[in-house]
Amino acid sequence: MTPQQRFEQLRKLAYIDPFKEVEYPPIAISYGEYKTKDKTYYTPIGTYGNFSFVQAPPKSKKTFFISMLAGAYLTDTTKYTGNIRGHRDGKRLVHFDTEQGAPHAQRVFKRVLDMSGYNGLEYDTYGLRTFSTQQRLEFIDLYLDLCGEDVGVMIVDGIADLVIDVNDIRESNEIVQRIMRWTEKHNVHIIVVIHSNFNSDKPTGHLGSFLEKKTETQIQLKVREDDDNIVDVICKRSRSYPFEDFSFEVDREGIPSIIDKIDNVLRIDTPF
């Protein structure tokens, strides 16, 4: 292939016609609504063909929040998830847990079914803790290549286990590029979970920095100082209309549910 032929090949892939009418990507998961002069829209947490990430310190009930998103996606809404709404349209939800052993991961997956009342036929659940980093990536690649046509949302809890070192610039960049290829190739919305740095609002390492630059929505969880059973959910950044911040609590049975909105929380709404 000559340089000219290679250029034309890449040019066809990269060119975007500024005059072509482009539709906004369909919403995968939303929270609440917003109004314009002529119409009311669902406020996206995430759209198909993009990715979002959830960040919080350890032990901040991240898996409980993920359970709410998963439950709402499976059945459009649940009695626990308030204004969180899924727009599944018959697609599958795949849920990868990389951190927990089988008993704990199974408990998380079952919680989603308990909350949603769903039969589980379009909810695929996998624990990848015992796999090597390379095996985890290989398995996800194979799953998407073989089943990606039917997948709408993919959850990876947590993304740090798909790299060897979250502070390796090249490795961090490569995994974020890989996530973007997955979203575009399979038109899925991917939700990843990452820890925050200690005593900081920044997600961990260079991996967190690369995620911030490329994500559609950055969601931050903060446990309240006066009640560690209540978690505030903050839309830290969004490329689209930001959803309103809200809170959830976990009851004695281990079920999370939305309780109210947050007042007087600083939010960064400016798109990248």
Side-chain angles (χ1 to χ4, degrees):
M1 182 179 294
T2 67
Q4 180 66 35
Q5 290 172 325
R6 180 58 174 160
F7 171 73
E8 290 300 329
Q9 183 184 57
L10 294 174
R11 179 178 179 274
K12 289 179 180 179
L13 294 173
Y15 180 70
I16 297 176
D17 184 352
F19 299 102
K20 182 179 179 181
E21 185 174 345
V22 179
E23 293 184 2
Y24 190 79
I27 293 174
I29 303 177
S30 63
Y31 179 78
E33 300 174 342
Y34 70 95
K35 296 181 180 180
T36 64
K37 183 177 179 181
D38 303 316
K39 195 172 180 180
T40 298
Y41 299 89
Y42 288 112
T43 306
I45 290 178
T47 61
Y48 291 110
N50 286 295
F51 81 94
S52 56
F53 77 94
V54 178
Q55 66 166 97
K59 308 302 180 184
S60 296
K61 298 180 173 59
K62 295 184 293 296
T63 60
F64 288 99
F65 177 64
I66 292 299
S67 294
M68 290 199 298
L69 295 181
Y73 185 70
L74 285 174
T75 55
D76 294 342
T77 186
T78 78
K79 64 181 181 180
Y80 305 101
T81 50
N83 289 328
I84 301 176
R85 191 173 186 87
H87 306 265
R88 188 164 66 89
D89 195 26
K91 294 180 179 292
R92 302 184 73 83
L93 168 64
V94 59
H95 193 161
F96 299 105
D97 190 302
T98 68
E99 296 184 342
Q100 302 184 100
H104 291 92
Q106 193 268 353
R107 184 168 62 185
V108 172
F109 301 148
K110 188 175 184 300
R111 181 195 303 139
V112 172
L113 298 178
D114 290 342
M115 291 175 62
S116 63
Y118 192 66
N119 60 22
L121 294 178
E122 292 173 320
Y123 180 40
D124 293 343
T125 53
Y126 301 97
L128 306 184
R129 180 181 181 181
T130 59
F131 286 12
S132 68
T133 301
Q134 188 57 42
Q135 285 176 323
R136 292 173 190 135
L137 290 170
E138 180 186 14
F139 182 76
I140 294 173
D141 269 330
L142 288 170
Y143 178 90
L144 288 174
D145 284 340
L146 296 173
C147 310
E149 183 178 352
D150 299 325
V151 175
V153 167
M154 181 173 98
I155 296 169
V156 181
D157 186 2
I159 189 64
D161 292 314
L162 299 189
V163 298
I164 295 173
D165 182 0
V166 296
N167 284 309
D168 185 289
I169 293 178
R170 175 177 293 182
E171 191 180 22
S172 297
N173 181 55
E174 286 177 351
I175 190 59
V176 173
Q177 293 294 327
R178 197 163 188 161
I179 291 169
M180 292 192 294
R181 286 198 301 272
W182 285 336
T183 59
E184 183 166 349
K185 180 179 179 180
H186 303 288
N187 195 36
V188 299
H189 185 80
I190 298 178
I191 303 168
V192 302
V193 180
I194 189 171
H195 288 162
S196 297
N197 288 325
F198 183 71
N199 284 336
S200 170
D201 286 341
K202 297 284 289 181
T204 301
H206 288 301
L207 175 58
S209 298
F210 280 113
L211 288 171
E212 283 187 308
K213 293 175 183 177
K214 302 297 185 180
T215 190
E216 177 181 34
T217 310
Q218 180 178 356
I219 302 168
Q220 185 174 18
L221 305 185
K222 287 188 175 182
V223 177
R224 290 192 182 175
E225 293 183 1
D226 59 340
D227 187 342
D228 62 7
N229 203 43
I230 298 178
V231 181
D232 296 333
V233 181
I234 300 166
C235 183
K236 191 174 181 184
R237 291 183 177 89
S238 176
R239 292 186 185 275
S240 55
Y241 197 93
F243 65 81
E244 291 187 52
D245 303 331
F246 59 92
S247 305
F248 70 90
E249 65 178 351
V250 180
D251 66 21
R252 293 180 179 179
E253 283 71 44
I255 300 296
S257 57
I258 291 177
I259 52 176
D260 58 23
K261 297 178 181 179
I262 306 174
D263 295 324
N264 301 320
V265 175
L266 175 63
R267 183 208 293 155
I268 304 172
D269 286 342
T270 305
F272 298 113

